[in-house]
Amino acid sequence: MPPAADEVGGHDVVRARIIAAGAELLAEGGRDALTTRAVAAAAGVQAPTIYRLFGDKRGLLDAVAEHGLARYIAQKKAHVPLADPLEDLRAGWDFNVAFGLAHPAIFALMNGDPRPGHRSPVVASGLAILERRIERLAQAGRLRVPEERAVNLVRASGVGTVLVLLGMPEDRRDLGLSVAARESVVAAITTAAPVTGRPGAAEAAIALRASLDNAAALTPGERHLLTELLDRLARSGA
């Protein structure tokens, strides 16, 4: 039996065609334009093909978003970390805000429908880069809150900043708002100087916790126990 017209070229080719059609519709009309029927028509396939390849509409939305984010994540991975971890964090913030303003539809698609427990591979890859930036701050003794809280504060403030700016007329956007928000987060999560040698159990615990994976002198069991104790100390100052 010959393949269906919309499957000529194989699943990968058809999948790529559907994603490209979805990305074009998203750019032209936003998320509301990304209906299964519209994507099927634009890609020249039948609606059942979309469900067969992507599972459901949410799977299609994820695939379109990942397609749009792929180049962005590749650029983030190619970034050479700055020597100063704090300046590196600032650079990452500015890069993320610029992407959100340049690609509002993709940004809204990725941040407008949070689902607990679900994270696409491309989003997880981008988050890992932020986590590494925060870890570098902790290792330098510059973090005043636990790493997880710092990551979430940066994410929450960054997403909120982009959404507020996108809600403004493009010719009247107050880009200084991004700088102000960034510096507010920096002040909330970092110390003015490394905590090493200074009093403060929580700050010292955060710095030590960030370097614990390199403690070869400890057994796995000892490392696990010390991690729990340091996490408890770090949370005590949050």
Side-chain angles (χ1 to χ4, degrees):
M1 179 182 295
D6 60 5
E7 293 185 1
V8 173
H11 283 187
D12 290 344
V13 173
V14 175
R15 191 176 191 278
R17 192 165 80 241
I18 292 171
I19 292 173
E24 185 173 349
L25 287 170
L26 180 67
E28 292 175 352
R31 178 171 175 162
D32 290 343
L34 209 62
T35 65
T36 303
R37 179 178 297 181
V39 174
V45 302
Q46 299 298 315
T49 299
I50 292 180
Y51 290 104
R52 185 163 59 251
L53 293 178
F54 299 95
D56 54 21
K57 183 179 178 180
R58 184 68 254 185
L60 172 62
L61 294 177
D62 284 345
V64 171
E66 290 181 13
H67 173 75
L69 283 170
R71 181 179 298 179
Y72 163 70
I73 296 300
Q75 290 174 329
K76 288 185 70 172
K77 287 183 175 179
H79 167 74
V80 178
L82 301 178
D84 183 341
L86 186 53
E87 291 306 312
D88 198 49
L89 178 65
R90 288 188 170 106
W93 172 288
D94 293 343
F95 183 68
N96 292 343
V97 170
F99 173 84
L101 296 181
H103 305 278
I106 294 174
F107 187 86
L109 189 59
M110 294 308 304
N111 294 285
D113 185 18
R115 287 166 291 158
H118 174 83
R119 184 176 295 152
S120 69
V122 70
V123 171
S125 178
L127 180 59
I129 295 172
L130 172 59
E131 290 172 340
R132 177 54 186 155
R133 283 189 165 109
I134 296 298
E135 182 183 43
R136 289 185 65 213
L137 280 168
Q139 290 173 342
R142 296 293 305 276
L143 209 58
R144 70 166 70 247
V145 300
E147 290 181 47
E148 183 178 9
R149 173 167 288 192
V151 168
N152 287 333
L153 279 170
V154 172
R155 292 181 67 200
S157 299
V159 170
T161 296
V162 173
L163 292 178
V164 169
L165 289 173
L166 287 175
M168 299 177 181
E170 189 170 356
D171 60 346
R172 294 173 54 193
R173 283 178 185 161
D174 177 14
L175 297 181
L177 179 67
S178 176
V179 176
R182 183 193 68 199
E183 294 310 305
S184 293
V185 173
V186 166
I189 69 174
T190 66
T191 61
V195 299
T196 306
R198 293 172 47 200
E203 291 86 354
I206 291 167
L208 179 56
R209 172 68 178 83
S211 302
L212 196 58
D213 289 342
N214 298 322
L218 299 177
T219 66
E222 291 169 338
R223 189 178 293 111
H224 178 74
L225 175 59
L226 185 53
T227 295
E228 289 187 351
L229 295 174
L230 291 173
D231 283 344
R232 190 183 306 171
L233 280 172
R235 288 192 296 270
S236 72

